[in-house]
Amino acid sequence: MERHSGPLPDDLETLKGIIMAQQGEIVRLSASARAYDALVQSLRIRIARLQKQKFGASSEKIERETEQLELLLEDVEIAIAAADPSPESEGGDRGDAVVFPQRRRGRPRVSDATPRERIVLDPGEACSACGGPLRLVGEDVTEILEFIAAKLKVVETARLKKSCRHCETMVQPEAPSRPVPRGMAGPGLLAHILVSKFDDHIPLYRQNEIFARQGVEIPRSTLIDWCGQAVAVLRPLTDMIRQEVVGADLLHADDTPIQVLDPRLRHAGKPRGVKEGRIWTYLRDPRPWGGSDPPAVAYWFSPDRKGINPQTHLAQFRGILQADAYAGFRDLYKPDATGTVRVREAACWAHLRRAFHDVWKGSGSTIAREALEQIGELYDIERQITGHPASYRLAIRQEKSRPRVAAFHAWCEAQLARIPGKGELAKAIRYALNRWTAFTLFVEDGRVAIDNNPAERAIRPVCVGRKNYLFAGSDAGGDNIADAMTLIESAKLSGLNPHDYLADVLARINEHKINRLHELLPWNWKPVTDLHKHAA
């Protein structure tokens, strides 16, 4: 809004002109604000619809469109914030100020460990009006959140040489170990590089630019070496996490594609020289049913999607596996030579719900809509029992879910006899009926989830990362991605700051006793406060 600066004129007509011009500006800004608000609402609705449709062959396209709309929504809301002169604190009389669309503002949550600096503004000891002495009656405290830019520093370690005056023996302290042999990177820097690449999804060439702004030119080739060497140093811990995960008796599993450079394909005549590898995730998370084991997640890379990959990963697994209907898992569910079934299948109701949702959105089928309503009733029950002990979950499911599941089964069989056998709706119904034992396992075991969404959330960081670094440079690069993410995501599941965890572990692991390596696992980790070890 145009503001009049300086003293107001005494001429009445001039004052009226100023007032009318400002009123016109108010009307224009109010109309713009309403237009912004309408656009924001329409974008939110559009995003919600796209997120519900995100399944099937077109999921990648829908995902990209969703992200573009989210960016547009963010830009519009920033524009509204820039035009809104109101302070963050609510309340107060704003008079005739322009009424902007109401925005939700969240106060930043600051942890108790965040450093604080106190600045005291003292009016002095004497009154400025009469010169009398002042006494303290209270204080008004306000807070601002400030950012201190990250800094790199060079830590010099001087090992003094001394000789004995009597026997001339030379004495010198041993050189402290380094995370990376003969490497210049300290544990904090290596942790920062790993977390930036595999958790914040910042490619190394961008990290090179960031370091350059801080006055240190680290070649990308050096960053690559440090990254790979740090992953190799941590690999014993990665292997232990994987052993712990597959040693559980209940797992969620999922996989997602990742592009991998393969020069052999270029030599074979394929211009891109890129193949499709796979990242597999296996999640142990007993928190929804109050289990005692700590949550953990293991990732593996494979150059293809053959069934031998998950069968190898889960060769020692015994228990319940919750996953999609991927054919590569089927051999796991078969009895062994003694007739024992070592892996039981738990199906995902979210996948089934999406299949009916696609039919309903595409054709408006009332049958598909009825299926969605019945499945929705099961999810209503699940929301009420999440976080409760397995025995309580089982009791509620037996009382409330089991009758609804049985009714849904009878309904599916009745509908299948009435509809065309080759349509998408019949395909969705057969998908449920053909795997009914797997779909109903959750009403028999209070630990089993109704869907495989926990694994889909665990695989999400890979999907975000591949949009930034686009592809792995080799099969070994794919292995490094899986190794790093196993440590980082498991640390996050344990409520740790992955940077602090990795920095401490990298500083200690080379000197840590091999038979006590389990002490460095995320759920057992206790930080060391010896700053010298961090600087070594």
Side-chain angles (χ1 to χ4, degrees):
M1 181 187 301
E2 183 180 349
R3 293 175 172 82
H4 183 83
S5 58
L8 292 173
D10 295 328
D11 182 61
L12 183 59
E13 295 299 324
T14 304
L15 285 172
K16 288 181 178 180
I18 293 174
I19 293 172
M20 292 181 66
Q22 291 183 341
Q23 286 178 338
E25 186 71 6
I26 289 173
V27 171
R28 187 186 68 81
L29 289 175
S30 297
S32 298
R34 287 193 296 272
Y36 271 137
D37 191 36
L39 178 57
V40 169
Q41 295 302 325
S42 65
L43 287 172
R44 282 179 173 150
I45 294 172
R46 176 66 171 153
I47 289 171
R49 288 175 178 170
L50 288 170
Q51 287 175 333
K52 289 181 179 179
Q53 297 173 18
K54 194 175 67 175
F55 181 73
S58 61
S59 62
E60 293 295 332
K61 178 180 178 181
I62 293 175
E63 188 173 279
R64 288 193 296 271
E65 186 176 351
T66 300
E67 291 175 347
Q68 291 171 357
L69 287 171
E70 286 174 339
L71 289 174
L72 178 57
L73 173 61
E74 183 179 275
D75 289 340
V76 171
E77 290 182 326
I78 289 174
I80 292 176
D84 188 348
S86 61
E88 287 196 12
S89 58
E90 297 180 357
D93 184 11
R94 296 177 62 178
D96 296 330
V98 179
V99 179
F100 286 83
Q102 186 173 359
R103 293 179 286 117
R104 293 193 305 173
R105 289 167 168 149
R107 183 177 178 83
R109 290 178 294 182
V110 182
S111 72
D112 295 336
T114 302
R116 286 181 173 270
E117 176 183 353
R118 181 178 170 88
I119 299 175
V120 178
L121 303 180
D122 191 339
E125 301 297 331
C127 176
S128 59
C130 68
L134 298 177
R135 68 178 185 276
L136 181 65
V137 295
E139 65 179 16
D140 294 327
V141 178
T142 58
E143 294 182 347
I144 63 171
L145 191 61
E146 185 58 284
F147 176 75
I148 300 175
K151 293 186 294 185
L152 292 166
K153 67 177 181 180
V154 177
V155 178
E156 293 183 353
T157 301
R159 297 187 296 127
L160 303 183
K161 294 181 180 180
K162 294 185 178 181
S163 64
C164 177
R165 292 183 179 274
H166 297 288
C167 65
E168 299 297 326
T169 299
M170 297 294 295
V171 180
Q172 184 181 33
E174 293 185 3
S177 65
R178 302 188 180 204
V180 174
R182 299 182 301 278
M184 188 178 179
L189 177 57
L190 291 174
H192 176 78
I193 293 170
L194 291 178
V195 172
S196 295
K197 179 172 174 60
F198 298 110
D199 192 29
D200 299 330
H201 314 296
I202 303 176
L204 293 180
Y205 78 90
R206 294 183 193 166
Q207 294 191 49
N208 167 264
E209 296 173 357
I210 294 171
F211 290 136
R213 290 198 298 269
Q214 298 174 0
V216 179
E217 182 66 41
I218 305 177
R220 180 171 171 269
S221 59
T222 301
L223 291 174
I224 291 172
D225 289 343
W226 287 351
C227 192
Q229 291 167 355
V231 169
V233 168
L234 296 168
R235 190 158 287 139
L237 281 180
T238 304
D239 293 339
M240 290 186 70
I241 292 175
R242 288 175 174 151
Q243 292 172 10
E244 287 275 344
V245 169
V246 299
D249 56 4
L250 177 61
L251 290 181
H252 292 271
D254 200 3
D255 68 289
T256 192
I258 181 172
Q259 299 297 306
V260 182
L261 291 180
D262 190 343
R264 293 173 299 178
L265 296 179
R266 190 181 297 275
H267 296 155
K270 295 185 179 181
R272 291 187 62 201
V274 176
K275 66 180 180 183
E276 186 174 274
R278 217 76 188 177
I279 295 288
W280 305 81
T281 183
Y282 305 96
L283 173 70
R284 177 186 72 184
D285 190 359
R287 293 175 298 179
W289 49 273
S292 59
D293 291 333
V297 60
Y299 296 85
W300 266 279
F301 167 80
S302 67
D304 51 50
R305 206 194 182 203
K306 295 179 180 179
I308 189 61
N309 296 303
Q311 294 162 23
T312 302
H313 304 156
L314 302 177
Q316 304 303 317
F317 174 67
R318 303 289 187 275
I320 298 172
L321 181 66
Q322 191 145 27
D324 57 24
Y326 168 56
F329 291 131
R330 291 177 186 168
D331 285 348
L332 293 170
Y333 308 136
K334 295 178 180 178
D336 59 17
T338 64
T340 303
V341 176
R342 64 179 183 86
V343 180
R344 299 177 66 191
E345 178 187 11
C348 175
W349 282 82
H351 278 80
L352 180 61
R353 181 176 57 180
R354 291 168 191 166
F356 283 113
H357 183 271
D358 285 349
V359 175
W360 175 63
K361 292 298 291 184
S363 64
S365 168
T366 56
I367 297 177
R369 177 65 183 177
E370 187 176 350
L372 291 174
E373 291 174 354
Q374 293 185 62
I375 296 174
E377 292 177 357
L378 295 175
Y379 273 87
D380 291 338
I381 298 171
E382 290 299 309
R383 278 188 285 271
Q384 299 171 12
I385 62 176
T386 298
H388 289 276
S391 57
Y392 177 80
R393 286 157 59 95
L394 178 59
I396 296 298
R397 286 170 173 175
Q398 288 286 322
E399 176 189 353
K400 298 182 178 180
S401 300
R402 177 182 285 277
R404 289 175 170 82
V405 168
F408 181 70
H409 183 269
W411 178 88
C412 285
E413 290 185 323
Q415 298 303 324
L416 191 59
R418 296 171 46 202
I419 61 177
K422 296 184 178 180
E424 291 298 318
L425 183 57
K427 181 179 178 181
I429 292 176
R430 283 195 297 270
Y431 176 76
L433 295 178
N434 292 340
R435 304 175 66 233
W436 193 248
T437 301
F439 273 108
T440 57
L441 186 57
F442 83 103
V443 297
E444 307 294 341
D445 191 325
R447 302 170 304 158
V448 179
I450 192 174
D451 57 36
N452 198 36
N453 287 347
E456 294 188 3
R457 288 191 292 270
I459 207 70
R460 177 62 181 167
V462 182
C463 303
V464 176
R466 71 187 178 204
K467 289 178 173 58
N468 289 275
Y469 45 73
L470 300 181
F471 47 76
S474 63
D475 289 351
D479 289 331
N480 288 337
I481 292 173
D483 289 347
M485 292 192 63
T486 295
L487 279 167
I488 290 172
E489 296 301 322
S490 292
K492 290 162 65 176
L493 286 174
S494 293
L496 305 179
N497 180 322
H499 176 274
D500 293 346
Y501 169 69
L502 291 180
D504 183 76
V505 169
L506 283 166
R508 299 162 58 185
I509 191 169
N510 285 333
E511 296 179 349
H512 205 80
K513 293 183 178 180
I514 191 68
N515 61 348
R516 296 173 56 188
L517 201 60
H518 62 277
E519 296 175 347
L520 301 183
L521 291 172
W523 48 90
N524 296 329
W525 174 72
K526 298 290 189 296
V528 171
T529 57
D530 188 345
L531 297 180
H532 173 71
K533 287 194 173 185
H534 284 280

